Amino acid sequence: GKEQFRKQRNIKTKILYATKFSNRIMHKEKRQRNKFQDSGNYAEFITTQQLLNRFSLFNNSCAYCGSFEGLNIQMEHVVPRSKQGAHCMANIIPACHKCNKSKYNHPMEKWYKNQPFYTKERFNKIKEVLAQTPYPPKQQELFHDWQLG
């Protein structure tokens, strides 16, 4: 009956989450979007394709340290939720768990330049990729001068 169907659907969802990258990204995006909305931050719906495209620009590797993360890649919000950052493409790059946790809510530029794996090339690439994305007008005042180009 209904209960059996629900169980099967849950199992299917878990299998897709564990094995299909795009499915995992879709669920992560929804969770993040809800967190940002709940905090009263600006949040827009981001398609799975937009995220896959963004991650592939960095070869599905951490934008900061360059480690390949595959399925475990995380959405890193450059301006964090706690600093009124937005959930939008202009604020998202891929990161490994270690970098995402270490950066926490520190200003990205300051934090990154203090890391032993910092490279000017990767820093410029982050700036370049973020600069290609239009900012939500409401959020402009939160971004650094270099982000507004």
Side-chain angles (χ1 to χ4, degrees):
K2 231 180 212 176
E3 191 54 38
Q4 186 66 29
F5 173 75
R6 194 177 290 123
K7 273 185 184 151
Q8 284 175 333
R9 195 182 59 199
N10 285 346
I11 290 167
K12 194 174 174 190
T13 301
K14 283 188 174 108
I15 290 168
L16 276 173
Y17 184 83
T19 57
K20 198 166 182 230
F21 189 51
S22 59
N23 193 269
R24 182 177 289 213
I25 295 299
M26 181 189 74
H27 286 284
K28 284 184 176 183
E29 189 280 328
K30 188 178 177 185
R31 275 200 309 275
Q32 289 290 339
R33 181 165 21 104
N34 289 338
K35 278 184 185 176
F36 275 72
Q37 280 170 339
D38 292 347
S39 314
N41 296 27
Y42 177 86
E44 59 189 29
F45 172 77
I46 299 170
T47 68
T48 303
Q49 197 53 56
Q50 281 176 295
L51 287 166
L52 293 175
N53 292 347
R54 171 61 45 91
F55 291 174
S56 73
L57 286 174
F58 293 92
N59 304 318
N60 292 325
S61 300
C62 177
Y64 297 126
C65 72
S67 81
F68 177 73
E69 290 300 303
L71 276 177
N72 298 318
I73 199 81
Q74 297 190 349
M75 259 177 269
E76 142 69 356
H77 293 83
V78 177
V79 179
R81 196 169 79 230
S82 61
K83 299 275 192 277
Q84 281 65 59
H87 177 70
C88 64
M89 287 310 293
N91 195 29
I92 291 173
I93 55 173
C96 66
H97 175 71
K98 209 170 161 189
C99 284
N100 204 350
K101 203 176 153 103
S102 162
K103 182 184 153 281
Y104 185 52
N105 66 2
H106 303 292
M108 186 275 275
E109 189 166 0
K110 197 176 171 198
W111 169 83
Y112 189 38
K113 286 184 171 171
N114 285 319
Q115 301 311 306
F117 46 77
Y118 168 82
T119 71
K120 196 169 171 46
E121 292 73 36
R122 276 202 294 264
F123 181 62
N124 288 338
K125 178 159 191 182
I126 291 168
K127 291 200 297 189
E128 209 176 287
V129 168
L130 291 174
Q132 290 165 6
T133 324
Y135 297 99
K138 289 184 208 132
Q139 290 293 307
Q140 296 246 342
E141 68 278 6
L142 295 174
F143 290 98
H144 308 283
D145 297 338
W146 61 259
Q147 284 178 294
L148 296 169

